[in-house]
């Protein structure tokens, strides 16, 4: 190790110390403002009469007790509307065919042993637009019979809700078909008599029964989709076992064969067509 003598140390470090000290001294002194050059145009900050101030709206919040029952009813209605708007996405998912589509598409993704492709957002988007295609006549009836008359002031909120509820009830009841076991179950749980017609089933009974029916149908479709791909996995695993390749994961070998089979039979087209057929009978 070479030792540095004192003159060399001072020679190398003194310029750095001098520059740091100069910067510190400049920061300590206040900045002297420079005046405008002599003969420059003078300025002023006062406003002339032609310039007016910006108009800012005054906002006031008045909190008081309701003076009549109508004001109380309006507040409760406003609270209910805000609550319904908050729960609207969940309601639309549960009372439409989106639930069936999303579950079946997720099943086919898992059956193909795909982890990231296609992404979940893409599958949900496909399920959403397929649901929009199927539910468009129902939404049209709701707009024509409920929203448009209420917007024109021809009917009230209660009647508009009843008119909007009817197409959805008919759609859910058609999807359940002859499978009324869930309706009977919820009716017995609620202590209600066995229904004879659709009008005898309350909406709060029909919605959970429809959800359970959709879950059952979606899982049945998922089981049927899994069977051919499970057969491919078993064949590949047996071949690898007979060849002594125990350490090689069968999923990595079987996934290309499953993808080729799915593409060759036009899997997306067949799946979409059969999902539509299961909804629109």
């Amino acid at each position: 190790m070479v030792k540095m003598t004192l003159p060399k140390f001072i020679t190398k470090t003194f310029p750095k110390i001098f520059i740091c000290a100069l910067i510190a001294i400049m920061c300590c002194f206040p900045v002297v403002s420079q005046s405008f050059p002599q003969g420059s145009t003078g300025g002023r900050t006062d406003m002339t009469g032609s310039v007016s101030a910006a108009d800012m709206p005054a906002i006031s919040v008045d909190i008081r007790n309701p003076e009549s029952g109508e004001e109380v009813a309006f507040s409760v209605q406003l609270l209910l509307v805000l609550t319904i708007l908050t729960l609207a996405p969940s309601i639309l998912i549960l009372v439409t065919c989106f639930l069936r589509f999303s579950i079946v598409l997720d099943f086919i993704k898992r059956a193909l042993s795909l982890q990231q492709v296609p992404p979940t957002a893409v599958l949900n988007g496909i399920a959403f637009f397929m649901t929009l295609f199927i539910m468009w006549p129902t939404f049209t009836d709701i707009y024509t019979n409920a929203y448009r008359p209420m917007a024109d002031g021809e009917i009230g909120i209660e009647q508009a809700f009843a008119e909007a509820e009817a197409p959805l009830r008919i759609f859910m009841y058609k999807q359940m078909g002859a499978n009324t076991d869930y309706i009977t179950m919820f009716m017995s749980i609620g202590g209600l008599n066995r229904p004879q017609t659709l009008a005898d089933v309350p909406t709060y009974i029909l919605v959970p029964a429809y959800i359970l029916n959709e879950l059952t149908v979606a899982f049945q479709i998922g089981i049927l989709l899994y069977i051919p791909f499970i057969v491919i996995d078993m064949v590949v695993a047996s071949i690898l076992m007979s060849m002594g390749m125990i350490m090689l994961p069968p999923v990595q070998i079987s996934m290309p064969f499953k993808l080729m089979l799915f593409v060759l039979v036009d899997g997306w087209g067949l799946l979409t067509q059969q999902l539509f057929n299961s909804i629109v009978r």
Side-chain angles (χ1 to χ4, degrees):
M1 180 176 181
V2 181
K3 295 184 179 179
M4 185 180 293
T5 59
L6 184 61
K8 291 183 179 180
F9 174 76
I10 295 176
T11 304
K12 290 187 176 183
T13 59
F14 182 76
K16 299 180 181 179
I17 298 175
F18 177 76
I19 293 173
C20 294
L22 182 61
I23 293 175
I25 293 172
M26 292 178 63
C27 293
C28 293
F29 284 97
V31 180
V32 180
S33 61
Q34 297 181 357
S35 59
F36 288 100
Q38 188 177 2
S40 61
T41 304
R44 60 181 185 179
T45 59
D46 56 335
M47 299 176 63
T48 60
S50 60
V51 180
S52 59
D55 295 332
M56 298 297 294
I59 301 175
S60 61
V61 179
D62 185 15
I63 301 176
R64 59 181 178 83
N65 294 326
E67 299 179 355
S68 62
E70 294 180 356
E71 293 185 356
V72 176
F74 177 75
S75 301
V76 174
Q77 290 177 358
L78 182 60
L79 180 62
L80 291 176
V81 169
L82 293 177
T83 304
I84 292 174
L85 290 177
T86 304
L87 300 176
S90 300
I91 295 174
L92 290 177
I93 288 174
L94 295 177
V95 301
T96 59
C97 53
F98 180 87
L99 184 63
R100 182 185 303 185
F101 289 163
S102 61
I103 293 176
V104 171
L105 291 176
D106 190 72
F107 263 115
I108 193 64
K109 176 181 176 180
R110 296 178 184 274
L112 290 171
S113 302
L114 300 175
Q115 301 297 328
Q116 302 295 334
V117 179
T120 305
V122 174
L123 294 180
N124 290 334
I126 295 173
F128 172 75
F129 282 103
M130 291 170 61
T131 303
L132 190 64
F133 177 76
I134 292 293
M135 299 295 297
W136 190 258
T138 304
F139 292 154
T140 303
D141 292 341
I142 294 174
Y143 177 82
T144 304
N145 300 326
Y147 177 76
R148 190 71 264 172
M150 185 183 67
D152 295 338
E154 299 176 359
I155 59 177
I157 297 179
E158 292 81 4
Q159 187 176 357
F161 177 78
E163 293 292 338
E165 185 184 28
L168 287 176
R169 285 173 56 88
I170 294 173
F171 173 79
M172 290 187 289
Y173 199 77
K174 284 182 177 180
Q175 296 309 311
M176 299 183 69
N179 186 16
T180 59
D181 296 336
Y182 294 117
I183 294 179
T184 305
M185 180 185 69
F186 282 105
M187 294 287 284
S188 61
I189 292 175
L192 302 176
N193 297 325
R194 184 180 179 86
Q196 301 298 327
T197 60
L198 175 61
D200 299 334
V201 181
T203 304
Y204 67 89
I205 296 292
L206 182 60
V207 171
Y210 170 76
I211 293 173
L212 293 183
N213 179 77
E214 287 295 293
L215 289 174
T216 303
V217 174
F219 274 73
Q220 290 174 354
I221 298 174
I223 292 172
L224 295 177
L225 290 175
Y226 252 101
I227 292 176
F229 300 112
I230 289 178
V231 172
I232 295 177
D233 289 334
M234 294 175 61
V235 171
V236 172
S238 300
I239 294 174
L240 292 177
M241 185 73 68
S242 62
M243 297 176 63
M245 299 180 180
I246 303 175
M247 302 301 295
L248 187 62
V251 177
Q252 295 183 357
I253 305 301
S254 63
M255 184 175 65
F257 293 99
K258 291 189 287 187
L259 290 177
M260 286 189 294
L261 175 64
F262 190 74
V263 172
L264 288 176
V265 300
D266 190 17
W268 291 114
L270 291 176
L271 181 63
T272 303
Q273 184 178 2
Q274 295 303 317
L275 284 175
F276 284 159
N277 293 335
S278 67
I279 298 294
V280 183
R281 298 182 178 91

